[in-house]
């Protein structure tokens, strides 16, 4: 079977709700998250904006209610050591398939630093020290219900242990072990990031025990089986794709990637970019009517594949930073055609990077006006500003 770039873009529009005609019944926040598997959450604003981009009826409060009142979606540290928001049904699979591997690397790194780098105070037995800290954090968090990192470091003074600089490099500074230790415990499924202090754009999250979302804790799954289940879910959302796309998105090595794929009955397909794979039953969809969308920085759609030319065109240099993080993008008919930003006064501004025609211009301008009204003057900055975004915010 062959899938042209155009056919893949049609599937992207329909499956990811990127400029697709709105359904008769607006999708819930949970349905939107399920439809794209995960939302990127490195920037808190991205979670909200990714939902708003896929439903003209959703509000900021709707997203907050799903995350913190219904607790039907939750933040997880997972693929590529990246922070995501996922639905409760997918979290156990993601945890076993990706988070546990991240946790092992974080634990190894932290213990190595404690053994080899000077600390204040000294840590003569890193393994015993970390076990003591883990128990202390668990007890303190259960007693408090929710707590900030600062509150936990007050309850567990060992978290204020500092790793000392060993060079004169600008980045080599005194830093406490609070953040890496809490990140480790979250990757191990013992605690989760919950509602931040401050506005919806705040990065100052509080922490809560995992039992606040999963009674009795996360279920234990076989890691190999979980990797296969995660690949299957990913192909439901992002297929057809390439094996390199799968490996890049998951962050696995080649051995784990091939083993996970080998357990699935896949269909070989031909893409315009070369050989690809798909789940049985993956078929082209009817071409949807052209539509516009404003996707935020690090949205799961443009960050879903390693090979992006088929929807990005020649715009990588303007829309990505040097680390491979995409900024806010303007979409028309399943393609990236420009970028946008929010200025310090709350104005939403945009720029086209190619000639798209009057229909597209009119539709995008309507999306810009609608988004600005929904944000209500809120401002935010992305963690990884791109060249075009810097220009637009100036």
């Amino acid at each position: 079977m062959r899938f042209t770039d155009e056919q893949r873009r049609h599937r992207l529009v329909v499956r990811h709700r990127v400029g697709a005609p709105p359904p008769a019944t607006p999708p819930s926040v949970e349905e939107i998250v399920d439809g794209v598997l995960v939302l990127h959450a490195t920037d808190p604003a991205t979670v909200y904006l990714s939902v708003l981009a896929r439903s003209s009826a959703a509000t900021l409060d709707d997203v907050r209610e799903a995350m913190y009142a219904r607790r039907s979606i939750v933040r997880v540290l997972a693929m590529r050591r990246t922070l995501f928001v996922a639905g409760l049904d997918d979290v156990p699979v993601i945890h076993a398939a990706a988070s546990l591997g991240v946790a092992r690397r974080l634990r190894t790194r932290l213990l190595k630093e404690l053994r080899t780098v000077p600390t204040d105070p000294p840590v003569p037995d890193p393994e015993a020290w970390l076990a003591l800290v883990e128990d202390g954090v668990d007890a303190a968090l259960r007693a408090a219900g929710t707590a900030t990192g600062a509150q936990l470091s007050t309850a567990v003074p060992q978290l204020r242990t500092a790793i000392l600089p060993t060079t004169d490099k600008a980045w080599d500074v005194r830093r406490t072990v609070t953040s890496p230790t809490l990140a480790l415990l979250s990757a191990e499924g013992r605690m989760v990031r919950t509602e931040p202090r401050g506005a919806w754009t705040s990065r100052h999250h509080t922490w809560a025990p995992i039992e606040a979302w999963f009674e009795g804790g996360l279920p234990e799954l076989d890691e190999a089986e979980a990797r296969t289940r995660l690949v299957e879910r990913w192909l439901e959302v992002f297929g057809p794709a390439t094996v390199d796309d799968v490996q890049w998105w998951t962050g696995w090595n080649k051995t784990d990637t091939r083993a996970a794929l080998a357990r699935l009955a896949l269909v070989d397909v031909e893409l315009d970019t070369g050989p690809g794979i798909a789940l049985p039953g993956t078929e082209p969809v009817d071409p949807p009517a052209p539509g516009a969308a404003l996707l935020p920085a690090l949205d799961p759609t443009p960050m879903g594949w390693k090979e992006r030319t088929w929807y990005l065109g020649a715009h990588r240099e303007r829309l990505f930073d040097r680390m491979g993080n995409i900024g806010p993008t303007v979409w028309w008919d399943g393609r990236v055609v420009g970028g946008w930003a929010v200025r310090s006064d709350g104005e939403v501004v945009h720029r086209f990077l190619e000639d798209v025609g009057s229909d597209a211009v009119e539709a995008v301008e309507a999306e810009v006006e609608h988004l600005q009204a929904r944000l209500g003057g809120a401002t935010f900055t992305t963690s990884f500003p791109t060249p075009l975004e810097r220009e637009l915010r100036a």
Side-chain angles (χ1 to χ4, degrees), residues 94-106:
I94 292 171
H95 174 70
S99 299
L100 288 179
V102 170
R104 286 191 289 269
R105 291 190 290 274
L106 292 177

Side-chain angles (χ1 to χ4, degrees), residues 149-163:
Q151 290 169 332
L152 288 172
S153 66
T154 297
V156 185
Q158 292 89 344
L159 285 173
R160 298 200 294 271
T161 298
I163 294 176

Side-chain angles (χ1 to χ4, degrees), residues 55-56 70 133 191 202 207 292 309 373 391:
S55 170
S56 60
R70 293 195 298 276
V133 171
M191 55 195 293
S202 172
W207 296 90
T309 306
E391 294 174 18

Side-chain angles (χ1 to χ4, degrees), residues 10-35:
H10 293 161
R11 284 186 59 85
L12 181 154
V13 169
V14 174
R15 192 68 179 86
H16 290 237
R17 304 178 192 268
V18 177
T25 302
S28 66
V29 173
E30 291 83 356
E31 288 171 334
I32 290 171
V33 174
D34 180 72

Side-chain angles (χ1 to χ4, degrees), residues 49 185 304 326:
L49 297 172
L185 297 181
I326 196 167

Side-chain angles (χ1 to χ4, degrees), residues 175-253:
R175 52 194 169 84
T176 70
V177 300
T178 302
S179 292
T181 303
L182 299 184
L184 164 62
L185 297 181
S186 70
E188 290 182 340
R190 299 166 71 159
M191 55 195 293
V192 298
R193 293 167 177 83
T194 184
E195 189 163 15
R197 302 292 170 87
W200 59 278
T201 56
S202 172
R203 293 178 170 87
H204 301 295
H205 289 99
T206 54
W207 296 90
I210 190 66
E211 288 79 9
W213 271 260
F214 292 89
E215 185 177 354
L218 283 167
E220 293 186 11
L221 302 178
D222 176 78
E223 291 188 37
E225 180 182 345
R227 284 193 289 269
T228 296
R229 290 172 60 182
L230 182 58
V231 168
E232 186 174 30
R233 274 286 284 130
W234 186 86
L235 284 170
E236 288 176 359
V237 175
F238 295 94
T242 69
V243 174
D244 284 346
D245 290 331
V246 175
Q247 183 177 347
W248 176 84
W249 188 86
T250 58
W252 299 333
N253 58 38

